[in-house]
Amino acid sequence: MTPVMVVFGLLGVVVILTALGMLLSRNAIYSALFLVLNFATVAVLYIILGAPFISLVQITVYAGSIMVMFLFVIMLLGAERLPGSDRLRRQRWIAAILGLVFVAQVILFIFFRGQLTAPVGTPPATLGSPQAVGTTLFTTYALPFEVTGAILVVATVGAILLTRGAALPYSPIRKEEK
Amino acid sequence: MMMPLAYYVGLSAIMFVLGIIGVLVRRNALVVFMSLELMFNAANLLFVAFSAYFQLLTGQIFVFFVMTVAAAEVAVGLALMVEIFRTKHSIDLDQMSEMKG
């Protein structure tokens, strides 16, 4: 029982509990806050795995901007408490049981097949550093990086166009209603 | 840092299945979106774990791309949510059944 194992166990418990909390809480704002904690915990796992750049991107992009966007939309719509509909009562249990079966399969496979028991060694500190990531991103993966920028621009334009609503006479959403 | 790789794979599988159950069970469209993000996160954890295991940077680069695409997807998805809420005054997924044959 090394200290790293204890830390990993604690982080894993927090990850699973926050995911369960997101799944089970009735209030959507609580779900979002649980998910923020989940992302932050996974960021700590990234640091353990020797990926500091990805870890900080995780905190700023995921736990920061994406979840703020979620919270903003939840509060804007006032949709934090929806009355639960009971139409899928039976399917709910089937989903949970099938999920449990899948997790059991994966874990049994991992521990009885024994292929993945090799330890994750300590990567050199230069592997996941911002300098290494940036160099790789702008040399080997320059074209995918530019495509990513194009995707973000398209998504931004699309989001703005979708939410402008009835103010535009040529809005794609409202066109068929007129 | 000597954790067996299997532990990361197991944790990622549990996170992924919790995300799937969230997508299948919850009726609030925003919570379904959050479960989707949880599944992205499980995949990202696996990428970073294998990146450290093989001492290759490619996994981390891919995680970076997954994050940007997820951000774009969330922006468009939330815009769609707002628009659906404007027209139907609800984001309960059970009520979005107009295209049912």
Side-chain angles (χ1 to χ4, degrees):
Chain A
M1 204 64 169
T2 60
V4 176
M5 273 193 157
V6 176
V7 171
F8 180 85
L10 286 176
L11 291 177
V13 167
V14 172
V15 164
I16 294 170
L17 284 184
T18 49
L20 273 175
M22 184 217 68
L23 200 63
L24 296 177
S25 65
R26 291 285 108 192
N27 193 328
I29 290 185
Y30 293 163
S31 291
L33 293 178
F34 273 125
L35 200 57
V36 169
L37 186 53
N38 189 325
F39 287 159
T41 317
V42 173
V44 178
L45 279 178
Y46 289 165
I47 288 183
I48 293 179
L49 284 167
F53 176 72
I54 293 296
S55 166
L56 291 180
V57 168
Q58 164 97 357
I59 287 183
T60 52
V61 172
Y62 256 124
S65 53
I66 289 185
M67 293 319 292
V68 163
M69 208 146 64
F70 265 109
L71 282 173
F72 188 75
V73 168
I74 291 171
M75 293 177 181
L76 179 73
L77 301 184
E80 62 264 23
R81 282 185 188 277
L82 279 180
S85 55
D86 287 345
R87 213 184 288 176
L88 290 172
R89 175 73 61 184
R90 207 182 317 139
Q91 282 89 333
R92 181 172 301 179
W93 289 108
I94 295 175
I97 289 169
L98 284 181
L100 273 182
V101 167
F102 179 72
V103 169
Q105 270 184 344
V106 170
I107 289 175
L108 285 180
F109 173 77
I110 290 167
F111 284 101
F112 283 111
R113 191 72 184 276
Q115 278 185 336
L116 299 174
T117 49
V120 178
T122 310
T126 53
L127 181 72
S129 68
Q131 186 187 2
V133 173
T135 308
T136 316
L137 212 53
F138 283 109
T139 53
T140 317
Y141 296 96
L143 180 63
F145 186 71
E146 298 297 328
V147 172
T148 307
I151 288 175
L152 283 177
V153 170
V154 169
T156 313
V157 172
I160 292 172
L161 200 64
L162 279 173
T163 47
R164 274 180 90 169
L168 278 179
Y170 48 88
S171 167
I173 293 289
R174 307 282 170 162
K175 194 173 281 178
E176 62 266 27
E177 293 175 7
K178 297 212 165 141
Chain B
M1 309 293 173
M2 302 299 270
M3 284 295 302
L5 183 60
Y7 285 31
Y8 290 103
V9 179
L11 184 62
S12 170
I14 293 173
M15 275 172 70
F16 193 81
V17 167
L18 286 176
I20 290 179
I21 292 177
V23 169
L24 289 178
V25 164
R26 292 304 301 267
R27 297 294 96 198
N28 190 335
L30 285 164
V31 181
V32 170
F33 249 110
M34 289 183 218
S35 306
L36 220 69
E37 298 302 314
L38 192 66
M39 288 199 281
F40 275 128
N41 229 29
N44 283 350
L45 179 62
L46 212 54
F47 269 123
V48 175
F50 273 92
S51 167
Y53 180 69
F54 289 113
Q55 312 261 322
L56 280 174
L57 197 55
T58 316
Q60 295 184 20
I61 302 288
F62 208 89
V63 168
F64 181 79
F65 289 139
V66 168
M67 279 180 186
T68 47
V69 172
E73 169 249 342
V74 165
V76 175
L78 288 180
L80 278 173
M81 288 296 140
V82 171
E83 193 60 35
I84 289 170
F85 191 83
R86 263 190 211 156
T87 52
K88 295 179 76 77
H89 300 291
S90 163
I91 50 167
D92 192 342
L93 287 177
D94 275 346
Q95 295 179 11
M96 299 179 198
S97 54
E98 284 171 2
M99 293 178 74
K100 185 155 64 178

